[in-house]
Amino acid sequence: DYLAYFNETAASHADYFVVDSDVDWGQDGKRLSQQLNRLQADHVWIAFFGSEDLHRLPMPSWQVLPPGRPETGWIAVSELLLKRYPEDYGWLAPYKPVAMAGKSIRIYRLP
């Protein structure tokens, strides 16, 4: 996982120090697919930063998470989008992710 490596001081809260291309290059699409299948998610809202075609991965049904529109259920959001666009994804701040896909995608399950 060399793209998102941090020393021990920053490792547990790396997203506090840097994000952008230091953490998120869109490298975790396959990990997202694996994690959602492991979690048995049936449908997920996704805000993904990357060029990978998620339609080509074995994913549960999914839709693009519209910026600025809170949703419920399974939600996956790239770290870069969370940090760069707080006006669009800041509504997720009070919630704790239930899982991570690699080091760059947070997965939530909201009632």
Side-chain angles (χ1 to χ4, degrees), residues 11-110:
S12 63
H13 298 288
D15 61 310
Y16 178 79
F17 297 100
V18 292
V19 69
D20 212 341
S21 63
D22 295 310
V23 171
D24 195 348
W25 284 80
Q27 74 270 18
D28 286 323
K30 287 181 182 76
R31 289 181 180 123
L32 175 62
S33 170
Q34 293 166 346
Q35 189 68 281
L36 290 172
N37 286 315
R38 223 176 274 129
L39 293 167
Q40 299 179 350
D42 53 346
H43 177 79
V44 63
W45 294 95
I46 299 176
F48 176 69
F49 171 78
S51 60
E52 185 161 19
D53 183 359
L54 298 180
H55 291 98
R56 299 185 81 162
L57 299 173
M59 302 265 282
S61 71
W62 65 277
Q63 291 174 269
V64 172
L65 178 64
R69 190 173 94 193
E71 293 292 346
T72 58
W74 291 101
I75 298 170
V77 184
S78 292
E79 287 283 348
L80 183 137
L81 298 177
L82 281 169
K83 299 297 182 182
R84 188 180 283 175
Y85 303 105
E87 68 278 6
D88 293 332
Y89 304 106
W91 60 271
L92 286 164
Y95 302 101
K96 181 178 166 96
V98 295
M100 292 289 293
K103 298 234 181 359
S104 69
I105 303 173
R106 294 182 187 200
I107 301 172
Y108 300 86
R109 186 163 192 192
L110 305 183

